[in-house]
Amino acid sequence: MRAESPGPQHEWLDADAGPVVRPYTLTGGRVRPPAGLDLVAFVLTARAVDAATHSRLHPEHRRLVELARRPVPVAELAAELDLAVVVVRVLVGDLLARGLVSVHAPAGTAFLPDDNILKAVVNGLRAL
């Protein structure tokens, strides 16, 4: 006999779905990633992670460390983990704070104009 799970039941959940974890649970309720960590930033494991440190990491952090053994953009990490980008950015921020990963902005984005300049150009073109 299978025990019923507590709480409301939904028709879109079944025994094969497994446990459902809300994204903010993975980040401890945090929703603000560190500054400068955008979608196209590359994440790279900074150093070899010893077994003791690796075993203390949450499963999502462990998976991020494994995926970032080669430079990989934040957006790709989110797709690979099937998590919201904001959640992945917060988790990468955790790893960055612990010195387990490094983050590198692509060279091309440093020379892009800011949004205000682009908006001014569009408004100027519309005025023509």
Side-chain angles (χ1 to χ4, degrees), residues 37-62:
L37 187 59
D38 59 39
L39 289 173
V40 294
F42 286 90
V43 180
L44 180 63
T45 300
R47 58 181 169 84
V49 179
D50 59 44
T53 301
H54 195 271
S55 66
R56 286 191 306 264
L57 294 173
H58 293 277
E60 294 77 18
H61 288 112
R62 276 192 293 243

Side-chain angles (χ1 to χ4, degrees), residues 104-122:
H104 308 278
T109 61
F111 302 107
L112 293 177
D114 70 3
D115 289 343
N116 292 331
I117 293 174
L118 294 174
K119 287 177 186 176
V121 168
V122 169

Side-chain angles (χ1 to χ4, degrees), residues 32-96:
R32 294 190 187 244
L37 187 59
D38 59 39
L39 289 173
V40 294
F42 286 90
V43 180
L44 180 63
T45 300
R47 58 181 169 84
V49 179
D50 59 44
T53 301
H54 195 271
S55 66
R56 286 191 306 264
L57 294 173
H58 293 277
E60 294 77 18
H61 288 112
R62 276 192 293 243
R63 186 75 176 122
L64 284 169
V65 167
E66 291 166 9
L67 290 170
R69 294 197 192 281
R70 63 171 178 79
V72 59
V74 172
E76 189 175 323
L77 289 172
E80 186 68 33
L81 291 174
D82 196 25
L83 291 173
V85 173
V86 69
V87 171
V88 171
R89 289 171 64 193
V90 170
L91 295 175
V92 168
D94 295 343
L95 294 172
L96 188 61

